[in-house]
Amino acid sequence: MKSNALNFSGGPGALPATVLDETREAIVALPATGLSVLGMSHRSEWFLGILDEAERNIRELLDLPARYAISFLQGGSSLLFATIPMNFATRAFAPPEYVNSGYWSMRSSAEARRVCASRIAWDGTRTGFRELPMLDRLAVAPNAAYLHYVSNETVEGLQFALPEAKPAVPLIADMSSDFLSRPLAADRFAMIYAHAQKNLGPAGVTVALIDREMLARIPDGLPRILDLRTQIEHHSNYNTPPVFAIYVLMLVTRWLRDTIGGLAAMQRINEAKAQRLYGTLDAMRDAIKVHAASPWRSQMNAAFTFGDERLDRAFIAHAAERGIVGLEGHRSLGGLRASLYNAVTLDAVETLCDALTDFGRQHV
């Protein structure tokens, strides 16, 4: 159980202890049905109730306007990287524009190029993805189909500030790694999407919030499974959905609402965790280098290194002796990464910081 509490993995991420307890019980038998959640029909009244509650909880947490549809999709963000331009990059508009701010946004813009003409509005390659632009200062064509960005780059540890006003063109955000970690003004976005395995639950489900005004842009003739209207029309039940993943997601939204007390409270907790970790890393600046420049540091993912692969590996072993897991950096960047998703507790961060300090005394 200790390794669950001290799971700093970049994804799949930690889950709240109470959610794990409820899930363990549900795998054997749901109190409401007597059947395992793994064998529940997606057409059952029980599951339709789960879909309804998951949607209600998200609407309540975000104070989401009624004009937004909520869909629970499959295929992760990777499928939506292609699906979004298929649906919204129509000939009636100029090419969509993309912000290349790190590994995952590069993946999204590359996939869009397979579907349609597109433009890069900003590219952080030159500076090694250590900083971010201001979204409202980008030179975007006024008739662009949309502007797409990744709100939190998990690999490099970069996080955008939320937009202060509704942009002139439709704004689409991949919020896979910071969705429901802080309040946001959803009405500034045309679409928000997030796969589950960071803050929402296990892999298998992706949440999409779509302004219904965007649906009129979707061309006819798309394969039905790739037409975003399909899942909306069928209440996320067009084909067999990931029942288990959606059930756990619903439990997580219930935990955020009832145990944490909403997204403002969650943000305060996340700020405290990030301040504690970055404070420790900065105190060790002679030995540790944080990848992201200070103004753009992520509250969700801290990417750092001792500057020596042997020391990085030694710290992973040092941390593992204390029950800490998931600190390996992404394969594209190397080094170390500590992910502070919603379910990671402040006590867990304290344990990590103590391990860093102890290791520094012994080895650097």
Side-chain angles (χ1 to χ4, degrees):
M1 199 64 183
K2 186 177 182 182
S3 61
N4 285 325
L6 299 174
N7 179 8
F8 289 89
S9 172
L15 285 169
T18 55
V19 170
L20 286 174
D21 290 341
E22 291 179 84
T23 301
R24 181 174 58 228
E25 181 180 356
I27 287 173
V28 177
L30 288 159
T33 69
L35 297 175
S36 168
V37 65
L38 300 178
M40 284 300 302
S41 169
H42 61 294
R43 303 297 183 190
S44 66
E45 289 298 319
W46 173 85
F47 182 62
L48 297 181
I50 295 300
L51 283 172
D52 286 340
E53 182 177 349
E55 179 173 333
R56 283 198 312 274
N57 291 351
I58 291 171
R59 287 191 183 280
E60 180 179 339
L61 287 165
L62 292 172
D63 193 22
L64 189 68
R67 74 172 189 272
Y68 286 84
I70 297 179
S71 282
F72 301 103
L73 309 172
Q74 300 177 59
S77 289
S78 294
L79 181 58
L80 281 169
F81 291 164
T83 306
I84 287 169
M86 285 180 181
N87 281 258
F88 300 133
T90 63
R91 293 181 179 178
F93 300 92
E97 307 211 11
Y98 282 75
V99 177
N100 279 349
S101 56
Y103 178 87
W104 286 108
S105 53
M106 291 282 284
R107 288 277 297 266
S108 67
S109 62
E111 196 68 9
R113 287 196 299 272
R114 293 175 176 269
V115 177
C116 66
S118 61
R119 177 180 176 269
I120 302 303
W122 186 87
D123 193 337
T125 306
R126 182 177 56 82
T127 59
F129 298 124
R130 298 180 187 277
E131 59 187 46
L132 296 173
M134 299 295 290
L135 289 173
D136 60 355
R137 296 181 185 176
L138 296 177
V140 178
N143 61 337
Y146 56 82
L147 173 65
H148 179 283
Y149 80 109
V150 174
S151 62
N152 182 77
E153 292 282 5
T154 61
V155 174
E156 296 84 4
L158 294 160
Q159 188 174 29
F160 278 88
L162 291 166
E164 295 183 357
K166 188 173 182 178
V169 302
L171 185 62
I172 297 180
D174 177 352
M175 292 191 178
S176 291
S177 50
D178 61 356
F179 186 60
L180 300 188
S181 70
R182 55 184 176 176
L184 63 89
D187 60 357
R188 294 171 187 168
F189 296 84
M191 179 176 178
I192 295 168
Y193 63 101
H195 58 238
Q197 61 267 29
K198 312 293 186 183
N199 281 320
L200 301 179
V205 61
T206 301
V207 178
L209 318 180
I210 307 172
D211 189 331
R212 293 181 187 274
E213 291 183 1
M214 294 292 289
L215 302 181
R217 299 184 175 200
I218 300 175
D220 293 329
L222 290 177
R224 294 207 71 196
I225 196 67
L226 300 178
D227 186 325
L228 290 171
R229 294 170 298 190
T230 301
Q231 289 290 1
I232 294 171
E233 291 167 0
H234 290 82
H235 192 43
S236 302
N237 218 334
Y238 171 67
N239 62 322
T240 305
V243 172
F244 175 71
I246 294 172
Y247 170 71
V248 179
L249 180 151
M250 182 278 295
L251 293 180
V252 170
T253 60
R254 191 184 285 176
W255 170 79
L256 280 167
R257 183 194 65 195
D258 298 340
T259 303
I260 298 300
L263 298 188
M266 190 73 257
Q267 182 179 29
R268 289 192 292 272
I269 294 169
N270 286 331
E271 287 173 347
K273 293 186 298 186
Q275 288 171 6
R276 179 69 176 94
L277 178 57
Y278 285 119
T280 298
L281 296 175
D282 286 342
M284 301 174 68
R285 64 173 57 91
D286 291 338
I288 285 176
K289 181 178 181 181
V290 178
H291 181 80
S294 182
W296 298 280
R297 288 177 177 178
S298 168
Q299 289 186 4
M300 296 287 98
N301 313 93
F304 60 98
T305 179
F306 284 93
D308 183 322
E309 187 177 345
R310 292 169 299 177
L311 282 175
D312 289 343
R313 289 199 303 267
F315 178 68
I316 289 171
H318 177 86
E321 292 173 357
R322 290 154 178 78
I324 301 169
V325 299
L327 292 175
E328 297 83 358
H330 190 270
R331 61 188 180 276
S332 68
L333 188 65
L336 301 162
R337 175 175 56 173
S339 296
L340 310 179
Y341 299 134
N342 285 353
V344 175
T345 66
L346 185 55
D347 285 344
V349 176
E350 292 285 354
T351 302
L352 173 59
C353 291
D354 290 344
L356 281 163
T357 302
D358 291 344
F359 183 81
R361 292 195 191 104
Q362 296 174 30
H363 297 279
V364 295

